[in-house]
Amino acid sequence: MVTRRDLLTYTSFSMALAALGFTPAVFAARGLKLGKPEAFTFDGLIQQAKTLAQQPYHAPETPPDSALADINYDVYRKIIYKPEYALFSHGESRFPVTFFCVSALHHLPVKMSVVENNQASDIIQDIDYFTFPADAQRLQAGLIGDVFSGFRVLENQQNIKNEKDWVSFLGASYFRAVGEQGQFGLSARGIAINTVSGDTKEEFPDFTHFWFEASKEDNDQLVVYALLDGPSICGAYRFVMHRTKGVVMDVDCSLFLRRDVSRFGIAPQTSMFWFSKMAKGSGSDWRPEVHDSDGLALWTGSGEHIWRPLNNPLQVQVSSFSDTHPRGFGLRQKERDFNSYLGSAGYERRPDLWIEPKGDWGKGSVQLVEIPTDDEIFDNIVAMWVPEQEAKAGSEHQFSYRMHWLADEPFPSTLARCGATRLGRGGNPGAYPDPKSRKFLVEFTGGELKTLSADAKPEAIISASRGKLSGIQVEKSPGEKDRWRVFFDLHVDGKEPVELRLYLKSGEKTLSETWAYQYLPFTSTPKPLLGV
């Protein structure tokens, strides 16, 4: 509860600090109460994380279940942070910050602080910063102490109450940003620990403390520091967040392991893929496609561009793309046509997320995890970098990278790019179908394909990890200026996955990026090829 005595005491304290040449950032959010300022630097935060990692892990305290049980989703979405308590609402930063309340969904309180002139002041949290719905106001009484579970960064200061956010951090180490079409979609995480790793249970470390610093160099950016803590790891993060046509984040992290980690996922991203026109189970939904992302794009250290369409498998699948000094990777939403989705969820506007490594990432692999799902409410796709070096207890790791939340890759290939992938019944039209055969159609557009005549056919270079390929045909797509398509049949026995790769060349010259796909023979019965 903010009392008159609190405000008078704080005002006297602020005046004393101002006389010493320190102006606390609370003047950016006039109603917020702040604690005593203390020295703060990113190097100091790194040392704090290193020291914590040498100590046993202690799970942070949470409000009693009885105080959160009734703050379900319906109540939670009606709880409003009062705009007069927004951080940076009076000019210190272009972007105000508001906070999420703890609930039955997000029960961990997170500490928040403001940094100015290498001094950090804790935000003294108060449930009265929130407006509860009339039929749930009794729930406020049970919430005392720290009550912030995450935060939102708003577009500007003009109308904070109705302003949209462009970044949000909420739950464990999850965060999201809008792309250049103003739509949230897939999520990122600070770290992925033991994701789908045999008998080892996956761990979800938490961002337990955030520090906010208004940039003095660039009014279009905001700096956020974070402390990560979990049973196996402790880490320090710095996010320099730029509002561009989309969102760009520069990330630096120092990570310290308490325990061995079997799958150490760096710069992880999480998305949803239920189905697409490529392979849709009959009667699953009335919409043609439902997904936040439809493929994984990679730019390898050797310069190869790869496109891997996503699957919704019947059992968990992990694909690994070994590399040295990767140039980038990310989950993408290539299909941008509303008519491919037809619903009101805005899937055609979902952002891509591209990870651009900085410095030497050495040897490792981009790993793609695909988990079965039967609904769009579940994230079932994970992509991450996994270093080749084992992640052992007591080890230290530093990574820097840039995150691009956009509508396309920031560094697209100049070669022809992979388009749609379509599957159907193998064999020729009218022939009796072979149940062990599938027909594939893969499209390529752009690059030098624009200048090729219809009779100057490029060569399709195709490989399969097992099975037999037949009926390979390359043709210019009818009525299309620069679109070419490749048909082929795959004949295969058994239920084990088949790894396929395909690209186009002319003589010794590569014309296209590489299409890579994991075909799962047991996922569906062959059906007629869907139209282009």
Side-chain angles (χ1 to χ4, degrees), residues 422-433:
R422 305 185 190 278
L423 279 67
R425 188 172 62 190
N428 297 318
Y432 193 78

Side-chain angles (χ1 to χ4, degrees), residues 31 268 313 384 410 503 513:
M384 56 192 164
Y503 69 94
E513 60 186 10

Side-chain angles (χ1 to χ4, degrees), residues 70-227:
D70 291 332
I71 307 180
N72 55 29
Y73 176 76
D74 289 335
V75 173
Y76 180 71
R77 64 188 182 89
K78 297 176 184 178
I79 299 174
I80 306 298
Y81 189 82
K82 296 177 181 178
E84 60 265 33
Y85 295 115
L87 180 65
F88 301 139
S89 60
H90 292 80
E92 283 75 5
S93 169
R94 171 186 162 190
F95 306 111
V97 177
T98 62
F99 302 97
F100 295 105
C101 183
V102 290
S103 69
L105 301 172
H106 304 288
H107 58 272
L108 177 67
V110 179
K111 293 186 178 297
M112 307 286 179
S113 300
V114 187
V115 176
E116 190 173 45
N117 298 327
N118 293 327
Q119 296 281 318
S121 301
D122 289 347
I123 297 174
I124 299 174
Q125 302 179 27
D126 196 318
I127 195 59
D128 284 349
Y129 293 158
F130 297 91
T131 299
F132 275 63
D135 58 353
Q137 289 180 357
R138 61 178 177 79
L139 302 177
Q140 285 181 266
L143 295 174
I144 58 176
D146 289 343
V147 291
F148 294 168
S149 60
F151 69 89
R152 307 163 64 222
V153 183
L154 308 183
E155 289 284 8
N156 58 59
Q157 300 160 348
Q158 301 306 312
N159 186 0
I160 294 175
K161 182 177 180 181
N162 298 314
E163 192 55 63
K164 293 182 177 180
D165 49 342
W166 56 277
V167 168
S168 69
F169 281 65
L170 181 64
S173 68
Y174 283 87
F175 58 98
R176 301 192 301 170
V178 298
E180 55 198 279
Q181 299 187 54
Q183 176 75 45
F184 283 111
L186 78 170
S187 300
R189 279 192 271 174
I191 200 73
I193 300 293
N194 297 330
T195 304
V196 187
S197 187
D199 295 331
T200 306
K201 185 178 179 180
E202 183 169 8
E203 182 180 316
F204 296 90
D206 297 291
F207 283 136
T208 59
H209 197 155
F210 291 105
W211 292 260
F212 304 91
E213 183 176 30
S215 173
K216 292 181 173 60
E217 293 78 25
D218 186 350
N219 197 41
D220 289 332
Q221 72 180 34
L222 178 68
V223 183
V224 177
Y225 306 92
L227 178 67

Side-chain angles (χ1 to χ4, degrees), residues 268-396:
Q269 44 194 279
T270 301
S271 193
M272 180 275 295
F273 179 86
W274 187 10
F275 61 84
S276 70
K277 292 190 293 289
M278 178 178 65
K280 174 184 175 182
S282 61
S284 57
D285 193 89
W286 60 271
R287 293 163 292 182
E289 305 190 39
V290 175
H291 47 75
D292 284 333
S293 306
D294 52 16
L296 171 67
L298 305 101
W299 187 15
T300 69
S302 64
E304 184 180 21
H305 287 264
I306 299 173
W307 172 248
R308 162 59 156 85
L310 297 178
N311 283 316
N312 179 7
L314 292 181
Q315 60 189 37
V316 175
Q317 297 289 332
V318 179
S319 299
S320 184
F321 300 84
S322 297
D323 202 0
T324 303
H325 309 306
R327 302 187 188 188
F329 68 93
L331 293 171
R332 292 201 51 213
Q333 183 77 312
K334 272 196 175 184
E335 181 55 77
R336 296 292 180 187
D337 185 357
F338 166 79
N339 293 316
S340 293
Y341 304 98
L342 296 178
S344 58
Y347 286 121
E348 71 278 4
R349 301 192 304 274
R350 296 296 204 250
D352 298 348
L353 175 52
W354 182 261
I355 304 298
E356 176 191 353
K358 296 180 180 180
D360 182 6
W361 279 27
K363 294 183 178 181
S365 60
V366 175
Q367 296 191 8
L368 173 66
V369 179
E370 296 166 304
I371 303 169
T373 187
D374 60 358
D375 204 314
E376 63 197 287
I377 64 173
F378 302 111
D379 283 345
N380 64 315
I381 303 295
V382 181
M384 56 192 164
W385 172 257
V386 178
E388 181 180 77
Q389 181 182 5
E390 292 185 333
K392 292 293 187 180
S395 62
E396 303 178 7

